[in-house]
Amino acid sequence: KQEVTQIPAALSVPEGENLVLNCSFTDSAIYNLQWFRQDPGKGLTSLLLIQSSQREQTSGRLNASLDKSSGRSTLYIAASQPGDSATYLCAVSQGGSEKLVFGKGTKLTVNP
Amino acid sequence: DGGITQSPKYLFRKEGQNVTLSCEQNLNHDAMYWYRQDPGQGLRLIYYSQIVNDFQKGDIAEGYSVSREKKESFPLTVTSAQKNPTAFYLCASSIAGSTDTQYFGPGTRLTVL
């Protein structure tokens, strides 16, 4: 059974700092991995999707990497801003299954 | 504007009542999903549908029911058989399945009184 773990559960950083969020999964037979952002009381917003054949994806200040063999992904946020404060979730999709398996998220606070 | 809408935003239910949560999308997506989110837990899949008139149980389908009579609509009914329904419910859609990016609605917070 696939399990997704995100460490740390919470992170607080000063504005301007570069930071890394971690995601690990137990079964490396994934189809893709997605990173989402969730603001309090809101739905999820898709940030990046990495196919299993890819190593990384970039969007603006965000860079997500994937090491399928070791079961790890990282989300790198450059020059963090208070507006980046949210919970970040990763989820994996496995071939043959319609299910996304989610981690519990990392709550990020960027202090001005 | 294209997107997913959910209504209502907040819903209160008395014990023993059935309630229906609405989810509508105008993205022309084939696949739609319902998730439940509880504090401190990841999202859990309740039901999903890959095509009109077809749907499948997810991990926690007991006490819930769905229908998919139209491509753009995927309502979720929380029945009185669901023992602990208080949660945040999220609807999502994707072009063709979980291998594509999922787009989420704003959610419905259900509270049982």
Side-chain angles (χ1 to χ4, degrees):
Chain A
K1 179 187 172 186
Q2 178 73 271
E3 293 183 1
V4 178
T5 303
Q6 292 186 247
I7 295 173
L11 180 64
S12 182
V13 301
E15 182 177 3
E17 190 163 298
N18 302 327
L19 60 100
V20 174
L21 306 180
N22 296 295
C23 172
S24 62
F25 45 94
T26 55
D27 186 346
S28 62
I30 64 168
Y31 196 86
N32 62 39
L33 183 144
Q34 301 182 42
W35 282 94
F36 295 89
R37 167 186 173 137
Q38 185 176 30
D39 293 291
K42 306 288 187 183
L44 278 65
T45 300
S46 178
L47 298 173
L48 290 163
L49 182 151
I50 311 177
Q51 301 291 353
S52 62
S53 58
Q54 297 176 317
R55 285 284 190 168
E56 63 180 289
Q57 282 283 350
T58 298
S59 176
R61 293 184 294 109
L62 305 180
N63 176 278
S65 68
L66 174 64
D67 184 342
K68 200 172 76 161
S69 61
S70 68
R72 296 177 185 274
S73 175
T74 60
L75 179 66
Y76 174 82
I77 302 177
S80 59
Q81 303 170 358
D84 294 331
S85 298
T87 296
Y88 291 81
L89 298 107
C90 71
V92 298
S93 167
Q94 295 189 251
S97 168
E98 280 303 308
K99 188 171 69 173
L100 277 183
V101 180
F102 283 83
K104 295 181 181 180
T106 293
K107 183 177 181 180
L108 173 65
T109 302
V110 181
N111 301 301
Chain B
D1 289 336
I4 302 176
T5 58
Q6 291 185 243
S7 62
K9 185 173 182 179
Y10 299 98
L11 186 57
F12 298 91
R13 188 194 94 170
K14 293 181 180 178
E15 286 194 19
Q17 283 183 335
N18 293 352
V19 291
T20 297
L21 283 60
S22 169
C23 177
E24 304 275 334
Q25 54 98 0
N26 61 4
L27 301 168
N28 199 34
H29 285 172
D30 284 316
M32 297 187 73
Y33 308 83
W34 274 106
Y35 293 92
R36 170 179 172 143
Q37 187 176 35
D38 295 282
Q41 296 201 37
L43 276 69
R44 292 181 290 169
L45 183 65
I46 304 172
Y47 268 99
Y48 65 93
S49 169
Q50 292 177 272
I51 198 167
V52 173
N53 292 323
D54 185 55
F55 48 83
Q56 306 295 329
K57 292 181 179 180
D59 294 324
I60 55 166
E62 184 175 352
Y64 300 97
S65 65
V66 293
S67 63
R68 187 86 186 274
E69 298 177 1
K70 299 186 293 184
K71 186 175 185 177
E72 58 270 23
S73 178
F74 191 41
L76 173 74
T77 297
V78 184
T79 74
S80 56
Q82 170 48 235
K83 298 191 185 313
N84 185 20
T86 294
F88 190 50
Y89 290 87
L90 289 160
C91 178
S93 71
S94 65
I95 292 174
S98 68
T99 54
D100 299 303
T101 298
Q102 291 197 7
Y103 297 87
F104 282 77
T108 292
R109 186 164 299 280
L110 172 64
T111 302
V112 173
L113 303 173

